[in-house]
Amino acid sequence: MPAGKRDHLIDTALRLFAAEGFHAVGIDRVIAEAGVAKMTLYNHFRTKDELIVAALERRAERFLAWFTHRVEAATEDPRQRLLTVFDVLAEWYRGRGPEPRRFTGCAFQNAAAEFHDPAHPAHAAANAMKRGTRGYVRGLAEAAGFDDPGAVAAWWLVLIEGATAVAHQLGERDAALTAKAAAATLLDAQAPS
């Protein structure tokens, strides 16, 4: 089967999972929306879980590429990039981020909630994305010269996750700016070496 069919299945599944949830969308729905035969799906993915993991990996790749590009294009100052993280999140919450264009919350928070067993492949894929985000922020903190970049990265991850949950659950699209104010206070208290 051509890779184009596999990519189309992943993109279709990703769109449906983001809009309706992982458990709510069945394989037959993905097949119908993608306009492919059931055998085409099973030639690429043995199980629904494999498709979910592929969709989460695709989402992580696209989101992190968009996110890091937006942060790095905004400023060259490493300290300012730490705060720009929240400006970029605000863009995403307002529907100006990567697909889907309508903010439907964090696919990785949703996956971890729907698949709460840490050993489940979808939960593990969600955790990998969060570790990737924390690693990126740690790199920004290292570049900014902080004594404990791991602590800064941990704080940022909590602020990012909290703001994302508030934006999704309560519809407060300015949650990222509230988190940015808290982050600025933390940065002021932690002068780089």
Side-chain angles (χ1 to χ4, degrees):
M1 293 282 119
K5 293 267 189 197
R6 184 179 193 281
D7 288 340
H8 180 61
L9 282 164
I10 293 170
D11 289 341
T12 301
L14 182 56
R15 178 177 48 82
L16 292 170
F17 295 150
E20 300 174 31
F22 298 96
H23 290 309
V25 176
I27 288 294
D28 290 338
R29 175 83 185 283
V30 174
I31 290 166
E33 291 275 335
V36 299
K38 189 174 275 196
M39 200 59 188
T40 300
L41 182 121
Y42 287 112
N43 282 337
H44 294 286
F45 306 100
R46 291 177 296 160
T47 65
K48 181 180 176 185
D49 286 348
E50 283 187 9
L51 177 60
I52 290 169
V53 169
L56 288 169
E57 289 171 348
R58 169 78 45 86
R59 177 68 176 152
E61 177 184 309
R62 288 180 179 168
F63 185 84
L64 283 174
W66 171 81
F67 184 77
T68 58
H69 171 75
R70 295 292 300 136
V71 169
E72 292 165 17
T75 181
E76 291 187 17
D77 179 73
R79 186 178 173 89
Q80 190 58 42
R81 281 181 174 171
L82 284 165
L83 295 175
T84 300
V85 161
F86 299 99
D87 297 328
V88 175
L89 289 175
E91 288 180 34
W92 174 42
Y93 301 163
R94 292 185 179 112
R96 294 191 298 266
E99 84 295 327
R101 289 294 181 203
R102 185 177 63 81
F103 177 68
T104 56
C106 175
F108 308 98
Q109 287 179 350
N110 296 341
E114 285 195 50
F115 302 97
H116 14 101
D117 178 359
H120 191 281
H123 193 100
N127 287 352
M129 166 58 172
K130 299 307 177 181
R131 283 190 298 277
T133 302
R134 185 173 51 204
Y136 174 69
V137 172
R138 181 185 178 105
L140 294 178
E142 287 171 355
F146 284 94
D147 289 332
D148 191 351
V152 174
W155 299 334
W156 257 236
L157 190 61
V158 169
L159 290 170
I160 289 167
E161 295 305 302
T164 302
V166 168
H168 181 224
Q169 289 175 244
L170 302 179
E172 294 178 11
R173 299 302 188 244
D174 289 335
L177 302 181
T178 303
K180 181 180 180 180
T185 300
L186 286 168
L187 285 185
D188 290 343
Q190 297 290 319
S193 55

